[in-house]
Amino acid sequence: MYQENITALKKDAPIGVFDSGIGGLTVAREIMRQIPNEKIIYFGDTARTPYGSKAVSTVRKYTEQITDFLVSKDVKMLVIACNTISSTCLDMLRERFPQLPVIGIIQPAAQKVASICSEENSIGVIATKVTINSGAYQKAIKDLVPQCNVAAKAAPAFVPLIEEGIIDNEIMDLTIHYYMDDFIGDGKIDTLVLGCTHYPLIRKNIERLFPKLRIVDPSREIIGRVKKVLAERDELAGRDNDRENIFYASDLSENFTNMIEKILETERSNLILKFKNLEL
Ligand code: DGL
């Protein structure tokens, strides 16, 4: 009886999901759509975003603070809803929390690419500077499809524009042209990986400007991995899980509130939003 209760508690424990800001909400949104029994504790480091052009040592330090906080909330899994953190901190986190499954976003995306691409395809990855400089995407894809072409491009200005909500706007379209015209060229790239969890928020702009591109969205691909690992550990939440999703931010600004409503397509009154200062 006691053991059964412990197992049920574990199954219904929340999943810790985190990002430098609002980008990881694209992953949270997919968890809520695809595995709705699961409950989330989200952390967005909105006070210190963006991470993608910072020193790796800084990204590591911030990541330790975030994950220590989430683990103190008894999460059953850590989901890195950020490519910048996945590309630089995955091994560190697995060592730091050997008792917990830690799910990175790059490997599931590379597996998706491998399932749809052959040597005839030209794959482009856009991401932050830190992610591109780490070479993590290029390596993960090449390991699975060695003969294909992989080009990588840092597109750092997308993140602050998206955090500001500048999306359905000609400034965003110009920025997309600025980064992508030469990169995509005349058929130079046929498959584009959105290697930053903020970028699905501008997917429609990219599709409108480059309608022939095939797009891979890692924020969707990671959910299959989350589901598989929870199932293997017999930790999928039950239908009667009565916990609630909680969203923490290190700066609970109006921007964050507006963007979370927009991304999760709900009103603030339906959301539990909390402030958490990690620097104390
Ligand atoms: N959303 C993040 C990623 O996937 C990071 C963006 C940033 O903070 O620069 O890389």
Side-chain angles (χ1 to χ4, degrees):
M1 181 64 179
Y2 175 73
Q3 188 52 43
E4 271 172 28
N5 286 346
I6 296 276
T7 311
L9 274 178
K10 182 93 189 195
K11 285 183 177 197
D12 291 343
I15 300 178
V17 181
F18 60 102
D19 178 48
S20 63
I22 60 163
L25 291 169
T26 58
V27 174
R29 173 174 70 186
E30 289 302 321
I31 292 176
M32 290 158 79
R33 280 182 188 155
Q34 297 188 38
I35 32 177
N37 295 339
E38 299 301 335
K39 294 303 165 220
I40 292 167
I41 295 193
Y42 183 86
F43 188 91
D45 199 359
T46 45
R48 303 188 290 198
T49 196
Y51 282 10
S53 301
K54 290 192 165 63
V56 170
S57 55
T58 306
V59 175
R60 291 217 170 106
K61 189 176 87 191
Y62 291 173
T63 299
E64 283 176 0
Q65 294 172 341
I66 297 173
T67 50
D68 285 354
F69 169 67
L70 289 172
V71 170
S72 77
K73 298 282 172 198
D74 289 329
V75 295
K76 64 181 172 186
M77 167 182 270
L78 287 170
V79 174
I80 312 178
C82 175
N83 295 265
T84 305
I85 298 175
S86 281
S87 69
T88 51
C89 303
L90 184 60
D91 292 343
M92 172 193 93
L93 289 176
R94 287 187 171 149
E95 264 169 45
R96 197 174 176 87
F97 305 110
Q99 77 285 12
L100 275 185
V102 180
I103 311 295
I105 194 164
I106 293 177
Q107 196 58 31
Q111 274 159 354
K112 174 68 180 180
V113 170
S115 73
I116 59 172
C117 290
S118 65
E119 64 270 28
E120 278 128 54
N121 292 107
S122 297
I123 299 146
V125 181
I126 50 169
T128 65
K129 278 189 196 159
V130 169
T131 303
I132 297 298
N133 291 344
S134 76
Y137 260 106
Q138 299 90 313
K139 180 172 182 320
I141 295 172
K142 280 275 186 191
D143 281 352
L144 297 172
V145 222
Q147 312 85 337
C148 72
N149 272 326
V150 186
K153 170 114 185 149
F158 287 149
V159 171
L161 287 177
I162 293 168
E163 289 275 334
E164 278 300 319
I166 301 174
I167 293 174
D168 302 316
N169 186 292
E170 74 185 283
I171 298 175
M172 179 53 83
D173 286 357
L174 285 172
T175 312
I176 293 173
H177 279 301
Y178 171 73
Y179 284 124
M180 308 246 296
D181 282 357
D182 281 351
F183 184 59
I184 306 289
D186 236 356
K188 260 196 268 173
I189 299 291
D190 55 48
T191 305
L192 183 72
V193 180
L194 305 180
C196 169
T197 50
H198 284 67
Y199 299 172
L201 299 168
I202 54 166
R203 180 179 179 146
K204 286 198 178 120
N205 310 49
I206 297 175
E207 283 173 335
R208 176 166 42 74
L209 299 174
F210 298 94
K212 289 193 193 137
L213 271 183
R214 178 168 58 169
I215 292 184
V216 174
D217 176 358
S219 338
R220 288 195 185 159
E221 302 313 322
I222 191 175
I223 311 302
R225 182 85 198 132
V226 169
K227 238 194 284 185
K228 184 163 180 283
V229 172
L230 287 176
E232 279 166 5
R233 295 170 64 92
D234 193 21
E235 285 178 8
L236 280 164
R239 223 180 295 170
D240 50 356
N241 188 359
D242 56 5
R243 283 176 190 265
E244 295 186 280
N245 296 316
I246 302 175
F247 299 88
Y248 286 90
S250 51
D251 178 28
L252 207 48
S253 62
E254 206 187 316
N255 254 2
F256 179 74
T257 313
N258 291 343
M259 287 306 287
I260 195 169
E261 284 181 328
K262 186 175 158 129
I263 296 166
L264 302 183
E265 293 170 358
T266 185
E267 282 172 20
R268 188 196 165 130
S269 51
N270 299 324
L271 295 165
I272 304 177
L273 304 184
K274 295 191 180 187
F275 168 72
K276 173 71 192 165
N277 182 354
L278 289 179
E279 283 174 300
L280 288 177

